[in-house]
Amino acid sequence: MPFDINQLKVLWATDYVQIAVHLLTALVLGGIIGFERSYHGRPAGFRTHTLVCLASSLLMMITFYQWKWLPGVPLDTVRTDPTRMAQGIMTGIGFLGAGVIYKEGRSVRGLTTAASIWITAAIGILLGVGFYFPAIVASALTLGVLSFFRRIEDKMPSNFYAHHTLSFDRNKVMPEEEVRVLLANHGFTVANMSYRISDDGRSFEYRMAIGTIDHDKIASLAKTLRKLDQVRSFRISPTGD
């Protein structure tokens, strides 16, 4: 049978083929963004982002193809608003994003992953209505922000903050001024100093927020603290995502 280009055009124009293309594109783009998150060990990764993008695309097709699931009903009789559907999707994604944001000590993590879930849902909405060009561009920009911008962020001059806990035997406590001098000599500033005696009364703790513009100084400080015999324990917990 000779190849008929007109038959191919008719096949491509069918709604089922278009729906399949919408969903498969959402599957691929959502999976690519999710792979980047999984590669960096984030709690919501490959499968989560793929499902979010796919679900958003599916829900938007409810309004885009409303004449399919309301056969015989004039469109001027029953109307669905795509913008309201998009608003509902993004509201629901907010709950999923909140689930990946967690607090570790006094540090908040997962904000970037939550933002990536949110924008993946937006990409899925675009794909659901067949708006391919902005969806593909947005996917490329998202991957650029998550991967390439990470390198820029690491090289940008910025203040590095951490929560620092320093514990001593109750009878061998380093004076506060010496603690401040020690940290200052390593290039750290100190803020929000607080004090605590353990429940058993055997140890005394300094708790504080420390800051520096050189991330490498954290290793130098830890090395110094390990060599101090009077230090019973210490903890340096970086803030941020």
Side-chain angles (χ1 to χ4, degrees):
M1 177 181 295
F3 179 78
D4 190 346
I5 188 64
N6 291 325
Q7 291 182 355
L8 181 61
K9 290 181 179 179
V10 171
L11 179 63
W12 176 255
T14 60
D15 297 320
Y16 294 114
V17 173
Q18 291 183 12
I19 291 172
V21 171
H22 290 184
L23 296 180
L24 288 174
T25 308
L27 185 76
V28 171
L29 295 183
I32 292 174
I33 296 174
F35 176 78
E36 194 281 339
R37 293 283 83 193
S38 290
Y39 180 78
H40 290 98
R42 300 311 183 198
F46 182 68
R47 291 184 298 171
T48 301
H49 284 74
T50 301
L51 290 174
V52 165
C53 195
L54 186 60
S56 300
S57 181
L58 277 170
L59 291 172
M60 282 307 296
M61 282 194 290
I62 292 177
T63 57
F64 192 69
Y65 290 97
Q66 70 175 39
W67 56 274
K68 274 286 189 182
W69 53 274
L70 289 173
V73 179
L75 292 180
D76 57 353
T77 302
V78 178
R79 292 182 180 274
T80 55
D81 186 357
T83 60
R84 294 185 64 182
M85 176 63 77
Q87 182 181 7
I89 293 172
M90 300 311 287
T91 300
I93 292 301
F95 290 96
L96 184 60
V100 301
I101 300 174
Y102 62 96
K103 188 176 181 181
E104 182 182 23
R106 286 176 286 182
S107 302
V108 178
R109 300 184 182 276
L111 294 172
T112 302
T113 299
S116 69
I117 291 176
W118 190 75
I119 196 169
T120 301
I123 292 170
I125 290 172
L126 293 175
L127 294 172
V129 298
F131 215 10
Y132 293 109
F133 179 73
I136 294 174
V137 172
S139 299
L141 293 175
T142 300
L143 289 172
V145 170
L146 292 176
S147 56
F148 181 68
F149 276 32
R150 179 191 302 273
R151 301 177 183 178
I152 297 178
E153 189 176 35
D154 290 340
K155 295 181 180 180
M156 288 175 58
S158 61
N159 289 322
F160 172 82
Y161 294 99
H163 300 294
H164 183 33
T165 301
L166 202 54
S167 178
F168 302 89
D169 287 331
R170 187 170 181 177
N171 298 323
K172 299 179 181 179
V173 178
M174 179 183 292
E176 180 180 341
E177 288 302 320
E178 291 186 21
V179 172
R180 290 181 178 273
V181 170
L182 173 65
L183 293 171
N185 289 339
H186 283 80
F188 288 92
T189 58
V190 180
N192 301 326
M193 177 77 78
S194 63
Y195 318 90
R196 178 180 179 271
I197 294 179
S198 63
D199 294 336
D200 59 10
R202 295 182 179 179
S203 63
F204 177 87
E205 290 182 353
Y206 293 110
R207 294 184 177 183
M208 68 204 82
I210 58 176
T212 181
I213 59 174
D214 187 354
H215 293 194
D216 295 334
K217 291 184 180 298
I218 197 78
S220 176
L221 175 61
K223 183 177 180 180
T224 299
L225 293 176
R226 288 200 307 268
K227 295 179 179 180
L228 294 178
D229 293 334
Q230 64 186 119
V231 175
R232 185 171 183 176
S233 66
F234 69 90
R235 181 180 181 183
I236 305 173
S237 178
T239 61
D241 187 26

